[in-house]
């Protein structure tokens, strides 16, 4: 099971889709703790920039998160930790598969 810290997906989406110098990204430290960021994304103007908190919208913007993942990790420490944790899980799984394959 994978768990994302609260507000992280919205923050990562904002970092992936907004220019680095955007006011909401520069407004305050603790970007990942901004509980209003996802609401703010849904109210962006012009309408073409709005991102509603729906599975469809988040999936639509998933490629941007993938493309800007290194930028996201630099600005969002929970993203860096999430990646570390996921890598750990996959490494353990790989070791377990190898042990089973080798009959250890």
């Amino acid at each position: 099971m994978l768990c994302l810290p609260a507000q992280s997906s919205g923050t990562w989406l904002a970092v992936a889709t907004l220019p680095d110098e955007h006011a909401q990204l520069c407004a305050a430290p603790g970007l990942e703790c901004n509980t209003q960021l996802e609401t703010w994304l849904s109210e962006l103007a012009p309408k073409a920039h709005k991102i509603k908190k729906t599975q469809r919208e988040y999936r639509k913007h998933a490629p941007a998160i993938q493309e800007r993942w290194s930028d996201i990790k630099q600005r969002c420490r929970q993203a860096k930790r999430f990646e570390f944790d996921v890598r750990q899980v996959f490494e353990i799984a790989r070791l377990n598969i190898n042990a089973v394959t080798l009959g250890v």
Side-chain angles (χ1 to χ4, degrees):
M1 171 173 41
L2 298 176
C3 297
L4 294 178
Q7 282 80 48
S8 289
S9 60
T11 304
W12 301 351
L13 183 60
V15 172
T17 59
L18 298 173
D20 290 336
E21 64 280 350
H22 196 282
Q24 285 293 332
L25 298 179
C26 300
L31 185 61
E32 289 174 298
C33 297
N34 183 344
T35 59
Q36 298 303 310
L37 192 60
E38 289 175 330
T39 301
W40 180 82
L41 282 172
S42 70
E43 298 170 350
L44 275 173
K47 189 177 180 179
H49 293 282
K50 290 182 183 184
I51 302 173
K52 294 181 182 175
K53 188 175 181 174
T54 64
Q55 189 178 58
R56 180 176 163 205
E57 282 288 308
Y58 275 54
R59 284 187 179 184
K60 176 178 151 185
H61 291 89
I65 293 173
Q66 289 175 304
E67 290 169 17
R68 302 232 18 232
W69 186 245
S70 59
D71 298 326
I72 293 167
K73 288 189 304 181
Q74 287 179 342
R75 297 193 76 161
C76 305
R77 80 186 154 94
Q78 290 298 323
K80 191 173 187 175
R81 179 167 182 195
F82 176 76
E83 181 179 288
F84 176 82
D85 290 346
V86 168
R87 288 182 183 275
Q88 291 290 98
V89 167
F90 281 104
E91 180 61 19
I92 290 167
R94 186 184 65 78
L95 293 173
N96 288 338
I97 289 170
N98 286 343
V100 169
T101 303
L102 297 173
V104 177

